[in-house]
Each structure stands twice: as C-alpha cells, then as structure tokens.
Amino acid sequence: MKKVLFLLFVLSLSAGIRCLGIDHSEKLLSLVNLSTEATTRQKVTDMLGQPEKVEENKKRIWWHYTLGNTNLIVCWNKKSDAFENFSFSSIQAEKSVFDSKLSHKLRSGATDIKQALTLLGTPLDMKIKGATQEMHYAYQNSVLRLFFRDRVLVDYTLLGQVK
C-alpha cells in the first residue's frame, strides 16, 4: 500500500512540474529582455549567431532561425535598419492540462513577461511588435492567451476550456 501511495505521489508531482512548464529557453528570455530601441543586428547575431535563412522585399528583411523544436523570425526595417518585430513558434510534443492555480498567479498590471515565462515556460508562440507583446500557451482542451503592453500583462484569456 505504501508503494502504491508513493507511486501516486511521484506521478502527481511529475504531472504538476510539467504543468508549471519550466522548460523555457534562455535565448528567448534574452531576446524578450531587449528593448525595441536597443535591439540591433549585432546584438541578435551575438545571441543567436547568423540566421539560417534571410528573406527580403523592398521594405523588410526577415531573419529565420531554428532552435531545436522552435522557429524564430526577426524582422528588420530595410530603410531605417531598425528592429520591427519578432515572432516565435514552438512545437509541443505533449500538451498538459491547464492548472487553474497558475491563473491566480497572473496579475494584470503587475506580472511582466519574464515572470510569465518563468511561471508558464516556453509558449507555443509569441509575437513582439513595438510596445505590444502577445503569447499563446496550448493545453489539452484550451489555449491561454496573454497580452502585454510594454512588457507588463494587460489581459489574459483562457479559450476553449472543456469541462
């Protein structure tokens, strides 16, 4: 009986750790911490190396990176040579069930992006453009959408929760 209880404890602990999502990428955190004005081609190259693929048109240049099971695209304004936005997407092998206790730790107006990444882990996708940032986390029956302005949480929504 003690072995069965111990096994159940270990299984519940491992499931809880998976729900916390503490698998975030240090490179993603480094990029998120850069301000839009401070982001330069040299800083991005120092962090991520040379892009795997470069696309351009008359107005923009896109740098494409693949880091394990994640794709990252950095967009530059061709005329001003300034950073415009970056988008990030990740392939999740296993989707966990959303832990409603986590939503109580998210505070509009107080939680910043770094805290959200630490709490929830690597998102399914993220878009940073100017003063706005948006992240999505995929769970078994729902998607958690977080919206930030100037890296501070403004709003979050749990979409498609099935009971």
Side-chain angles (χ1 to χ4, degrees), residues 3-45:
K3 288 180 182 180
V4 172
L5 289 175
F6 179 73
L7 180 63
L8 287 174
F9 173 74
V10 170
L11 288 174
S12 67
L13 184 63
S14 66
I17 288 172
R18 249 197 332 259
C19 290
L20 285 176
I22 52 178
D23 63 332
H24 55 77
S25 167
E26 290 302 318
K27 290 182 180 183
L28 179 61
L29 277 174
S30 298
L31 271 175
V32 167
N33 288 331
L34 287 176
S35 68
T36 304
E37 303 80 33
T39 304
T40 64
R41 290 180 185 220
Q42 185 62 45
K43 285 184 181 179
V44 172
T45 303

Side-chain angles (χ1 to χ4, degrees), residues 25-157:
S25 167
E26 290 302 318
K27 290 182 180 183
L28 179 61
L29 277 174
S30 298
L31 271 175
V32 167
N33 288 331
L34 287 176
S35 68
T36 304
E37 303 80 33
T39 304
T40 64
R41 290 180 185 220
Q42 185 62 45
K43 285 184 181 179
V44 172
T45 303
D46 289 346
M47 276 190 264
L48 303 172
Q50 293 297 320
E52 294 176 11
K53 180 179 169 186
V54 177
E55 290 181 64
E56 358 186 343
N57 67 15
K58 291 182 181 179
K59 296 182 180 183
R60 290 178 186 79
I61 299 172
W62 294 274
W63 287 4
H64 295 265
Y65 292 92
T66 303
L67 307 166
N69 62 351
T70 62
N71 294 315
L72 176 69
I73 301 171
V74 181
C75 180
W76 305 96
N77 183 302
K78 201 169 183 178
K79 186 175 181 180
S80 67
D81 204 34
F83 168 80
E84 279 196 0
N85 65 63
F86 90 81
S87 60
F88 165 90
S89 62
S90 174
I91 300 167
Q92 293 180 336
E94 182 179 329
K95 294 180 184 176
S96 60
V97 176
F98 180 71
D99 183 0
S100 60
K101 294 175 190 172
L102 292 177
S103 65
H104 299 295
K105 295 179 181 180
L106 297 171
R107 303 258 185 246
S108 296
T111 304
D112 65 20
I113 279 189
K114 188 174 180 177
Q115 292 167 327
L117 285 170
T118 302
L119 179 67
L120 300 169
T122 304
L124 177 65
D125 61 52
M126 173 188 282
K127 177 82 171 178
I128 293 183
K129 183 175 183 176
T132 62
Q133 303 83 37
E134 188 170 342
M135 297 189 318
H136 295 97
Y137 288 88
Y139 295 97
Q140 282 183 0
N141 298 319
S142 58
V143 173
L144 178 64
R145 176 195 158 278
L146 294 99
F147 180 76
F148 298 82
R149 186 169 292 115
D150 295 322
R151 293 175 168 61
V152 177
L153 184 65
V154 174
D155 182 34
Y156 63 93
T157 308

